[in-house]
Every structure is written in C-alpha cells, then in structure tokens.
Amino acid sequence: MLAPGLVLGQMPAQEPPPLPHPEIPPPVDVMTPWPWWLLVLAGLLLLGLVALVLFLILANKPKAVVPVRRPLQDAVRRMKDLRGKADVLPPSEVGHGVSEILRRYYMERYSIPAPFKTTQELFPLNADVDKNFRRRAWRERFEPLAELYDSLAYAPLPATSSEAIALVETAINKLEEERLLPDE
C-alpha cells in the first residue's frame, strides 16, 4: 500500500514489464508485381471510362420524332375500308364498326372519351346550350349518326345491307365535312 503522505506524482518510477516476445522484426517492403507506368495507364483508362459514361448520360440526346396524328384522315381511311367490306358483313357488324371508328375519332380529335361512354352519355337529352361552339357543332353533326349506328347494331329488327352501306356513306360525308372546319 501507499504511504499515507505520498501523492501519485511522487511515486518512484518503475520499469515497464517485459514483453512476451523479445523484439518485433522490421516491416517488409512490399513491391507491386507491375511497373508504375502500367498502374498509371490503368488509372487513365478507368478515368476515361467514367468520363464516357458521364458523357453518355448527360449529353444532349436528339429529340424523338413523334409521328403527327391525323385522326380525320385515319377515320376516313378506315371508314372507306369498312365500306368495301359492308357487302359481306352483317349490318349489325357494320353499325358497330361505324360506331367504333367514330368513337375513336371523337377521342383523338376532340379529346372526348367516347369509347368508354354510351351513346346516351355522349349525347345527353338535356345538353347545355351554353357550351362552346366547337362542341355544339360536333354534337349537331354526329348526333344523328349515333342514332343510325345504334339502330343498326342493337335494333331488334333486322336491317338490310343497303341500310348499312348508306350509314357508312353518311358517316364518310360527315367526316368529309370536318375537313372544312378550321383546326383549333
């Protein structure tokens, strides 16, 4: 034990305890198996690859060419194709085809989700009179056609192929009238 009047700073110096091994050998100098210029070349190659990846990611890409949509020409072409097949198709299929072509045209040109709505939803009986002119003109042109293609496609009475051909001709005429309207 310590003498009662001694402070830790006044203790006599002691030697450190002996190590379990006599002496640590000096470190071994490890040399790389490759020359220095090869390491520099590999570093430059790695740096070049990183630069290439960054260039490809950040470089200005050419803008993708978006094909111009021409819903009117597409609808007229499909309607004329249907007219060519109207002789051999049943009138109900012709009526359904006219409905499908016109509904797709409504959606592409006027942004009306026509393929997902019934005829009653597209042309409600209590339509607002104060709607914009383009919507009102669209409705006046195509509402009579909706009654025709619905009567051919869903009517309980059988229709004739001449009625089906007349419906296709009427639809083509209505679409041709659209060409006279200015695009907005």
Side-chain angles (χ1 to χ4, degrees), residues 26-105:
V28 178
D29 191 18
V30 179
M31 295 294 293
T32 60
W34 302 295
W36 65 269
W37 58 267
L38 190 60
L39 294 175
V40 170
L41 186 64
L44 289 175
L45 181 66
L46 182 65
L47 186 64
L49 288 175
V50 168
L52 178 65
V53 167
L54 287 176
F55 173 75
L56 292 175
I57 290 174
L58 301 176
N60 288 337
K61 295 179 177 93
K63 295 194 179 198
V65 177
V66 178
V68 178
R69 300 188 79 190
R70 301 192 182 277
L72 181 60
Q73 287 82 0
D74 186 42
V76 170
R77 181 187 48 77
R78 288 187 294 137
M79 204 63 81
K80 288 180 179 178
D81 290 345
L82 183 63
R83 179 178 56 192
K85 299 175 191 173
D87 296 336
V88 295
L89 292 175
S92 62
E93 284 188 36
V94 173
H96 179 71
V98 169
S99 170
E100 186 179 324
I101 292 168
L102 288 176
R103 286 170 184 269
R104 186 169 164 192
Y105 172 70

Side-chain angles (χ1 to χ4, degrees), residues 91-92 95-96 99 103 119 146-157:
S92 62
H96 179 71
S99 170
R103 286 170 184 269
T119 303
E147 295 170 11
L148 286 174
Y149 60 66
D150 278 351
S151 69
L152 278 180
Y154 307 113
L157 301 174

